[in-house]
Amino acid sequence: MAGRPPARRRSADYAWLITGPLALLAVVCTVALWRVEPDWYESWPLGILILALYVVAQLATFNIVIRRSAFEVSVTEVPLVLAIFYLPPVMTMLVVTGALLARQLSSSIPPVKLWFNVAEVAASIGVSLLVVEALPDIHGTGPGTWGVIFVAVAVNVLMQVACLASVIGVVNGRRAGADVLRASVSNQVIAGINVAVGLLFVIALEETKWSAALLAVLVVSLILVLRSFAGFFRQHRTLADVYELTQAVRDVGSNNALPDVLLDRVRSLMRSEYATLWLAPQGRYPEVLLTAQVDNKGLLDVSPVPGPIREFTVKQQSPVAVGAHFSDTEHLREHLRTARVKDVLLVPLRSGQTTIGTLEVINRVGENRTFRDSDVQVLETIAAHVAVAVENSRLVDRLRHDAYHDRLTGMPNRRRIIDALAESMTVRAEGEVVAVMLFDVDGQRNVNESMGHAAGDKLLAEVSARLRAIAGSGALVGRIGGDEFVVTLRAASIETTIEIATRMRERLRGPMAVGSLTLDVDTAVGVSVYPDHGSDPETLLQRAELAANAAKVLPYGVQPFHPALESRAVRRLGIAADLRRALDNGQLEVYFQPKVTLADRHVLGVECLARWVHPAHGEVAPEDFVAVAEHTGQLARLTEVVLTAGLRRCREWAAADRPLSVAVNLSARTLLDSRFPDLVEELLTEHQVGPGQLTFEISEPGMLSDIERVLPTLYRLRDLGVRLSVDDFGTGASSLAYLRQWPVHEVKIDDSFVQGMATDSGDLAIVRAVIGLSREFGLTVVAEGVESELTLDLLEEMGCEIGQGYLFSRPLPYERLEAWLSAQTEPESTPTGEVRRLRAVI
């Protein structure tokens, strides 16, 4: 059942609907009482005395809080009893109304409220005095007099309560008027007690006028005791309220819940019309401005606090109180008058040395009440706990955010991507797939090595910003690894996903500014989709990563997942243990591919290449088992096996007067082992092979990635007399100028350029440039991938010295190489000894 809607608040001017009739009633009562006793003015001296007592009684009003109930203790009924007993009716009306009017005028309250209060009191006392006139005359101080005075005061109190409930009901609604009636019970009890005290005063005064002195002492003592008692209860209640509020604030779990828990309690505790929480914008946290207002159950997003006062508080970094009791901020009161605010307290919320916001209370409730220094201390205590709560909630939020976001780019991390994919996969839309596109940034590691990690971080930040811009509003973009970014979205099909990935890759390409340099950055994109390629997020990401690895060798750079990719990866894992056994049992075979001088067709050496025929899987691709060896720590053993076989054959050829040099491929990881040169020296000595007969070929991209760390090993190998060759030259990010810094003897042009030079002018220009500049640096040039007579002629014309490729021979096992040497070459004597010369190139 829906709750009753709240009553709409009317204008305060509606109070005149009650004030007018009350004023008329007061006039009628005054006229009627005047006729009863026309010479009422003769008692003016006593009237002035009771008027003074009435004013003092009004100032002696104070509150007592017991448990959760507040009681307003007022002793105005005591002088009222004296007035009814000693003064004529009209004089009594003037005394009571005059005392109230004097107090109201000193409070600067609105005219509507002022004249309602005057009319209410005048009408109430007038009606009560007419009741007195209708009852038997007052004689003496006996029970009859008590009854008449009790009835008169009761009528006065009930009349005031009825008038107040009526005006509140007219302005704020019937329910508010009913609340006034329910809250008046305690006031009626206190009024009855005050009547009894007043009658005791009357009895004492009637007995002897000298009792007035004792009564005065008693009244002053009672007022002091009650004030002390009320202050004690108020302090106790304030401490209890502050404790409860701080407990509630401490239990708040987030910034969003804090205002709901805090503001209404602060407003009630500080007895203010408004309570405001303002938090300054900070990082990803927006500005917060919320206000609780009395009689308004919701929170407002505005505050009556003038902006200059809040700015002054933030600047001072200390509490600021503006009002009648705070002379040191008198220069700020003009802002209050402009905003029509009575008084304000503002306390800064601080985190360390930084002000993160303010806690504010506005307009102390009550006609004659304003904020004081004690209120500032209470609000400071609350503000300290609120500042801690804000920082704790932001810390929790920050930890939660950090747990699901990448610190460098602010993007969702792997955990958040997995959660988002799991959520997306729970909602299956007909004709749609959940797509995962993994972007692998090419060359980021090279940037780290050459320009430092700060530059690499800038590159990743630029990639992330560009990805966000091109991904679209329906996509989630995250970073799941060092140089791996993921974009997940819903698409119509896998074909659509590939089109999207291709467009995004093209838009992502292009120059990126990293410091003072502009780099061309490329990416490889792997694509997987749910449900075709997996039923859980981890599988989708793993398969997208497999596809991205495969995409690195594709010219268009985008690869959807297919089962063959996974079977190859699984196959690599499956052969790891078998590779170790193969190395231990000598099951790997070393093949040899001849290297031929182009000028005179002499076979001067061979390149040693490992081959492995697995008993179950058949022939394993070299890149597969080399990758397995790198990841399982068996690369050093594999290199030693190939190097040992090559040196053994080199010794055998030298012993048979057919000297051939050997070349062995090295990984940059092998060069990171400082013990490797010692191993090379031991093997050369063991097999009695001269260092000049051994060439180590190091891949250019591999060498570039760890150039500073591998250079010491390269220099030690060079000092041994071993020849060093840069393999796959042209496929890395280096320039030819690096050749002057590296201790190498030979440059080996990558076969992708050599095979394309006969048909591609760009490849031809690259090969020509490499040959020309290498010769300028005094380096030997080897062209691999020579597969046609046209390519051979072009290389010979450009001055390339050595060739290697299928035109001469494919890699052969030792026995077949021996047969090839016998069939395809013939001995030829040279000044340095006998060499094998090709009979013809077929």
Side-chain angles (χ1 to χ4, degrees):
M1 182 176 178
R4 184 182 301 173
R8 188 172 61 182
R9 181 184 177 94
R10 295 177 177 176
S11 170
D13 291 338
Y14 277 83
W16 290 107
L17 296 175
I18 305 298
T19 303
L22 288 178
L24 180 61
L25 178 59
V27 172
V28 171
C29 292
T30 303
V31 172
L33 293 171
W34 193 313
R35 290 186 176 183
V36 172
E37 194 169 351
D39 54 349
W40 56 269
Y41 50 85
E42 294 178 358
S43 59
W44 64 268
L46 185 58
I48 292 176
L49 178 61
I50 295 179
L51 175 64
L53 292 175
Y54 214 105
V55 171
V56 172
Q58 287 180 331
L59 296 176
T61 301
F62 47 87
N63 294 314
I64 295 179
V65 180
I66 301 176
R67 294 184 181 275
R68 295 190 177 275
S69 300
F71 301 94
E72 184 178 70
V73 178
S74 173
V75 294
T76 54
E77 287 81 8
V78 174
L80 177 60
V81 170
L82 297 176
I84 293 174
F85 188 84
Y86 288 110
L87 295 178
V90 175
M91 180 60 73
T92 300
M93 285 191 65
L94 290 177
V95 167
V96 174
T97 307
L100 177 70
L101 183 60
R103 183 184 178 189
Q104 298 288 301
L105 289 175
S106 65
S107 301
S108 301
I109 65 173
V112 174
K113 190 173 183 180
L114 168 67
W115 293 114
F116 166 76
N117 290 338
V118 172
E120 172 207 25
V121 169
S124 300
I125 193 64
V127 170
S128 64
L129 291 174
L130 287 178
V131 170
V132 170
E133 292 299 323
L135 296 173
D137 293 341
I138 296 175
H139 293 291
T141 57
T145 299
W146 302 352
V148 171
I149 292 179
F150 264 110
V151 170
V153 174
V155 170
N156 180 66
V157 172
L158 292 175
M159 185 73 178
Q160 288 186 15
V161 170
C163 294
L164 183 59
S166 299
V167 75
I168 293 295
V170 168
V171 175
N172 292 334
R174 184 178 301 176
R175 185 179 299 177
D179 292 339
V180 172
L181 292 176
R182 284 191 292 271
S184 67
V185 176
S186 61
N187 291 335
Q188 295 174 27
V189 174
I190 294 172
I193 297 173
N194 288 337
V195 171
V197 174
L199 288 171
L200 289 174
F201 283 16
V202 169
I203 294 171
L205 290 171
E206 286 297 304
E207 185 66 28
T208 172
K209 301 302 181 183
W210 291 104
S211 63
L214 297 176
L215 291 175
V217 173
L218 177 62
V219 168
V220 172
S221 300
L222 285 174
I223 290 174
L224 293 176
V225 169
L226 287 174
R227 280 191 176 275
S228 177
F229 185 69
F232 170 76
F233 271 95
R234 185 168 57 251
Q235 185 180 25
H236 175 76
R237 183 58 195 164
T238 299
L239 290 175
D241 287 343
V242 169
Y243 176 76
E244 291 181 3
L245 192 150
T246 54
Q247 287 291 105
V249 168
R250 188 185 65 181
D251 295 337
V252 173
S254 67
N255 273 343
N256 295 334
L258 181 62
D260 296 323
V261 172
L262 172 73
L263 290 178
D264 195 58
R265 297 186 184 211
V266 171
R267 188 205 57 73
S268 177
L269 174 61
M270 301 299 297
R271 297 181 180 86
S272 60
E273 184 179 358
Y274 301 92
T276 295
L277 175 67
W278 174 74
L279 298 176
Q282 184 181 22
R284 62 188 185 85
Y285 299 105
E287 182 182 26
V288 174
L289 179 63
L290 291 171
T291 300
Q293 182 185 14
V294 66
D295 297 332
N296 193 331
K297 294 185 178 181
L299 295 181
L300 310 175
D301 57 359
V302 294
S303 172
V305 173
I309 296 181
R310 182 179 294 126
E311 294 171 5
F312 182 76
T313 304
V314 174
K315 182 179 179 180
Q316 292 292 110
Q317 294 191 349
S318 60
V320 172
V322 186
H325 285 85
F326 305 103
S327 58
D328 55 336
T329 56
E330 189 171 355
H331 62 286
L332 297 174
R333 291 187 194 173
E334 181 62 32
H335 298 297
L336 295 188
R337 287 189 287 271
T338 303
R340 298 182 179 180
V341 173
K342 181 173 65 173
D343 50 1
V344 296
L345 297 183
L346 293 88
V347 177
L349 305 177
R350 304 189 62 184
S351 173
Q353 300 299 318
T354 305
T355 298
I356 61 174
T358 56
L359 184 61
E360 309 162 358
V361 289
I362 305 98
N363 288 350
R364 181 68 181 267
V365 174
E367 298 171 4
N368 292 319
R369 296 174 185 168
T370 60
F371 293 118
R372 299 177 183 270
D373 291 333
S374 58
D375 297 314
V376 177
Q377 295 174 0
V378 172
L379 194 61
E380 276 190 285
T381 302
I382 299 171
H385 290 276
V386 172
V388 171
V390 170
E391 281 302 288
N392 287 345
S393 62
R394 287 186 173 180
L395 175 61
V396 171
D397 180 68
R398 194 155 49 243
L399 291 174
R400 187 181 295 115
H401 180 273
D402 290 346
Y404 287 95
H405 290 80
D406 172 56
R407 185 176 296 274
L408 173 63
T409 63
M411 282 182 162
N413 60 11
R414 176 181 286 272
R415 180 183 298 178
R416 178 69 186 97
I417 291 292
I418 288 175
D419 289 350
L421 280 174
E423 293 173 8
S424 299
M425 291 161 64
T426 58
V427 181
R428 181 71 186 277
E430 196 66 31
E432 283 189 346
V433 297
V434 178
V436 176
M437 296 175 283
L438 190 145
F439 290 77
D440 192 317
V441 180
D442 184 29
Q444 193 266 340
R445 185 178 180 184
N446 293 334
V447 174
N448 283 343
E449 294 292 339
S450 58
M451 301 175 62
H453 286 276
D457 290 346
K458 289 181 180 179
L459 173 64
L460 293 175
E462 176 67 20
V463 171
S464 68
R466 196 172 290 189
L467 262 180
R468 280 194 189 101
I470 66 179
S473 57
L476 177 65
V477 185
R479 180 186 178 212
I480 65 168
D483 55 2
E484 293 179 338
F485 295 83
V486 164
V487 178
T488 175
L489 46 76
R490 289 188 177 274
S493 63
I494 185 171
E495 290 77 15
T496 304
T497 304
I498 295 172
E499 293 176 6
I500 294 172
T502 303
R503 288 199 303 269
M504 290 182 64
R505 178 178 178 270
E506 288 301 317
R507 293 180 62 185
L508 191 62
R509 294 177 69 184
M512 291 189 184
V514 178
S516 60
L517 298 180
T518 299
L519 305 177
D520 286 325
V521 177
D522 201 357
T523 56
V525 187
V527 175
S528 65
V529 298
Y530 168 81
D532 298 356
H533 299 149
S535 58
D536 62 88
E538 290 283 3
T539 300
L540 287 176
L541 286 176
Q542 180 243 336
R543 290 177 173 175
E545 191 166 3
L546 283 175
N549 289 333
K552 293 178 181 179
V553 299
L554 300 178
Y556 44 86
V558 178
Q559 173 67 60
F561 171 79
H562 58 79
L565 296 176
E566 189 168 47
S567 62
R568 182 175 181 183
V570 171
R571 184 183 179 191
R572 282 186 176 183
L573 292 176
I575 65 176
D578 297 334
L579 177 61
R580 188 180 304 277
R581 285 192 294 270
L583 289 170
D584 293 339
N585 299 330
Q587 295 175 358
L588 262 70
E589 190 172 358
V590 177
Y591 280 39
F592 305 92
Q593 186 174 28
K595 299 169 72 174
V596 179
T597 59
L598 302 186
D600 50 19
R601 304 297 195 269
H602 288 167
V603 179
L604 59 86
V606 294
E607 181 179 0
C608 303
L609 301 167
R611 295 293 186 265
W612 181 26
V613 179
H614 191 277
H617 299 295
E619 186 173 347
V620 182
E623 59 268 23
D624 285 346
F625 67 77
V626 169
V628 170
E630 286 186 340
H631 287 88
T632 57
Q634 301 179 70
L635 185 61
R637 180 78 177 106
L638 175 62
T639 303
E640 184 178 354
V641 167
V642 175
L643 178 58
T644 300
L647 292 177
R648 185 173 71 250
R649 299 304 181 187
C650 183
R651 176 58 188 164
E652 291 175 0
W653 289 322
D657 291 329
R658 293 184 301 170
L660 293 176
S661 63
V662 292
V664 176
N665 289 296
L666 285 187
S667 167
R669 184 169 298 185
T670 302
L671 293 173
L672 294 175
D673 185 357
S674 60
R675 298 168 299 178
F676 180 70
D678 297 330
L679 173 65
V680 173
E681 187 174 12
E682 291 176 7
L683 291 176
L684 288 172
T685 303
E686 178 183 344
H687 292 91
Q688 299 179 356
V689 174
Q693 292 294 99
L694 174 62
T695 300
F696 284 127
E697 298 182 358
I698 306 109
S699 173
E700 180 203 7
M703 186 159 55
L704 278 174
S705 61
D706 287 294
I707 185 63
E708 296 298 330
R709 299 167 64 190
V710 304
L711 274 177
T713 303
L714 291 177
Y715 279 112
R716 288 183 61 191
L717 291 173
R718 184 198 64 177
D719 293 341
L720 285 177
V722 173
R723 291 177 57 82
L724 300 175
S725 174
V726 180
D727 198 7
D728 302 325
F729 191 83
T731 59
S734 69
S735 68
L736 289 172
Y738 283 140
L739 296 178
R740 300 178 60 185
Q741 305 171 19
W742 297 341
V744 295
H745 309 83
E746 179 180 286
V747 171
K748 198 168 187 181
I749 306 173
D750 187 68
D751 58 1
S752 62
F753 300 112
V754 174
Q755 291 173 1
M757 61 183 289
T759 56
D760 190 309
S761 59
D763 289 344
L764 180 63
I766 291 174
V767 173
R768 190 185 304 275
V770 172
I771 293 173
L773 291 178
S774 297
R775 293 182 65 182
E776 290 292 328
F777 293 149
L779 302 176
T780 303
V781 182
V782 179
E784 58 180 345
V786 180
E787 297 182 356
S788 69
E789 288 283 355
L790 178 57
T791 301
L792 179 63
D793 293 341
L794 289 172
L795 290 170
E796 189 174 358
E797 177 186 340
M798 287 185 281
C800 182
E801 298 160 281
I802 301 172
Q804 176 182 345
Y806 284 10
L807 180 64
F808 306 120
S809 172
R810 64 180 61 247
L812 301 171
Y814 175 73
E815 292 77 11
R816 291 181 59 190
L817 176 67
E818 288 293 301
W820 180 86
L821 288 171
S822 299
Q824 300 296 331
T825 66
E826 57 187 8
E828 180 178 309
S829 298
T830 67
T832 58
E834 184 179 282
V835 296
R836 308 297 296 186
R837 183 179 185 280
L838 285 178
R839 289 192 173 92
V841 176
I842 300 175

